[in-house]
Amino acid sequence: MKSLFKNGQIFWFIGFFIGDGYTTYGRVGIDTTTPKFAEVIVDQLTQLTDKPVKFEIYGDHKKFRAILTRSFLHYPKKREDWSDYVKIRIDSENFRRKFSQFIQKTYEKIEELPKEYQLKFLQGFFDAEGTVSPDGTVQVDLAKDNFNLKLAKKISTLLSRFKIKNKLREKRRRISLIIEGRSAHITNLELFQELIGFSSPIKRRDLEIVIDVYSSSKDNRPHFWVEREILKVLQSRSSIELKELMWILRIKYDKLKVCLNRLMRKKLVRKVVLHKRVWLELTPSSVPIGKQD
């Protein structure tokens, strides 16, 4: 393998691979919905080997035109509510063995590397596995097994080294790593944003929204007023993503959830899960605001 350690981007790639990559006999693969990530992944793989990179595109292949310099397989999306995505792979057992050793060795020694490399590794991991929750935290949810438990503890230890408060929750089948936030720990979210953050534009925007919303003062607006404003927003557009609605109304999730549940019980608003994100829209039975009780 070529020497890559002079380029810190390799540590983002390793973090992302540990989150979203896989190896099977004779194959190394990574899936992503983000064209920018696909470009970085291909660049890193081509620096690691001369073996050809292969692609399977599900959905709109034009989104990934920057990497499609070779032939590729094109399929419809496996599920309509999924985003367009690409499966990137290298088929070579010899490369798989060397690559697995390289990833494992680097992963085991990540705590010994310079801090800037540790931060790149963490960003890659959170780009792959992290989500910004509307409740004002950043979370990683993993299936519970021995590897993921050790991984979650390693990530937690690294975060603590940078004074980023976090906690682990173990359930019967899941492990959750939570970056503490909400109004009580808003400076903790800001520290995460400053040191690690996301290179994913969508997740970066989500983080900006929750920091903005949970930095606001106590909300004394009555529920009926909030419900009215929700309906006004939805009447001005066909649908809106949940966190975007939080930002427009400057409202924290606990209160928004109560108001949305009331509107859904009245059958005025409904939730739609699209591309693994929650969107809101008016129901056909909704009527103009002026006719609401």
Side-chain angles (χ1 to χ4, degrees):
M1 292 182 180
K2 301 173 183 178
S3 175
L4 295 172
F5 289 92
K6 61 181 180 180
N7 177 5
Q9 194 66 36
I10 188 63
F11 298 100
W12 178 93
F13 171 77
I14 292 169
F16 192 89
F17 182 85
I18 288 172
D20 268 356
Y22 66 91
T23 60
T24 59
Y25 183 81
R27 175 171 294 179
V28 172
I30 311 176
D31 302 348
T32 182
T33 62
T34 307
K36 175 184 174 182
F37 293 170
E39 292 180 47
V40 176
I41 291 164
V42 172
D43 176 65
Q44 295 301 306
L45 286 173
T46 53
Q47 291 187 64
L48 287 166
T49 181
D50 294 328
K51 300 291 182 182
V53 182
K54 299 181 180 180
F55 307 100
E56 294 178 26
I57 307 290
Y58 292 81
D60 184 3
H61 70 281
K62 294 178 183 177
K63 291 186 177 181
F64 301 98
R65 63 165 61 92
I67 63 171
L68 301 180
T69 56
R70 303 175 180 86
S71 61
F72 60 94
L73 300 174
H74 185 212
Y75 304 100
K77 286 182 284 190
K78 292 183 178 180
R79 281 177 46 179
E80 280 302 313
D81 60 341
W82 285 12
S83 300
D84 305 297
Y85 68 102
V86 57
K87 299 173 76 70
I88 302 168
R89 71 177 197 267
I90 291 179
D91 294 334
S92 166
E93 175 56 19
N94 183 51
F95 173 69
R96 184 203 64 79
R97 288 197 306 270
K98 293 180 179 179
F99 178 83
S100 296
Q101 292 169 3
F102 168 67
I103 292 290
Q104 184 66 26
K105 183 178 180 181
T106 308
Y107 169 71
E108 289 176 353
K109 294 186 176 182
I110 194 70
E111 295 94 336
E112 303 171 19
L113 297 176
K115 289 184 177 180
E116 59 267 30
Y117 293 164
Q118 295 179 29
L119 292 172
K120 276 288 188 181
F121 170 83
L122 287 169
Q123 186 185 64
F125 178 78
F126 277 94
D127 274 336
E129 291 288 354
T131 58
V132 181
S133 172
D135 72 4
T137 62
V138 175
Q139 299 187 14
V140 171
D141 291 311
L142 302 170
K144 191 173 183 179
D145 59 34
N146 288 336
F147 175 80
N148 281 340
L149 182 57
K150 292 178 181 178
L151 171 61
K153 289 179 178 179
K154 181 184 281 282
I155 298 296
S156 177
T157 298
L158 287 172
L159 290 169
S160 297
R161 286 187 173 192
F162 294 101
K163 311 300 183 185
I164 297 172
K165 297 176 184 177
N166 66 93
K167 56 188 175 183
L168 288 174
R169 288 181 179 169
E170 293 185 49
K171 299 181 180 179
R172 193 173 72 170
R173 296 183 179 180
R174 306 290 294 176
I175 305 164
S176 294
L177 171 66
I178 302 168
I179 307 293
E180 295 193 46
R182 302 177 66 87
S183 298
H185 300 286
I186 200 68
T187 56
N188 193 55
L189 280 185
E190 290 172 337
L191 182 61
F192 173 83
Q193 181 187 48
E194 177 187 351
L195 295 180
I196 301 170
F198 297 99
S199 54
S200 160
I202 293 175
K203 292 181 181 181
R204 188 165 59 239
R205 171 64 175 162
D206 286 346
L207 184 57
E208 290 170 353
I209 285 173
V210 298
I211 288 175
D212 185 24
V213 169
Y214 284 90
S215 297
S216 61
S217 57
K218 185 177 179 180
D219 189 350
N220 294 316
R221 292 171 293 182
H223 287 83
F224 75 85
W225 186 92
V226 174
E227 290 171 35
R228 188 177 181 87
E229 292 304 302
I230 291 171
L231 293 173
K232 281 184 179 180
V233 171
L234 289 175
Q235 286 178 350
S236 70
R237 58 182 75 189
S238 58
S239 64
I240 188 169
E241 201 271 332
L242 176 63
K243 286 187 278 292
E244 190 71 16
L245 181 62
M246 289 174 57
W247 182 74
I248 289 173
L249 298 181
R250 294 297 195 277
I251 185 170
K252 297 166 188 174
Y253 181 59
D254 287 348
K255 188 168 187 174
L256 179 62
K257 180 170 63 174
V258 171
C259 296
L260 285 173
N261 285 339
R262 287 168 54 147
L263 290 171
M264 286 189 287
R265 283 197 297 270
K266 295 176 185 178
K267 298 184 178 179
L268 297 175
V269 172
R270 63 187 175 193
K271 289 183 182 179
V272 177
V273 179
L274 184 63
H275 303 162
K276 301 182 181 180
R277 296 170 69 83
V278 175
W279 293 74
L280 301 160
E281 60 185 24
L282 294 176
T283 65
S285 60
S286 297
V287 295
I289 292 172
K291 296 183 180 181
Q292 297 292 328
D293 295 333

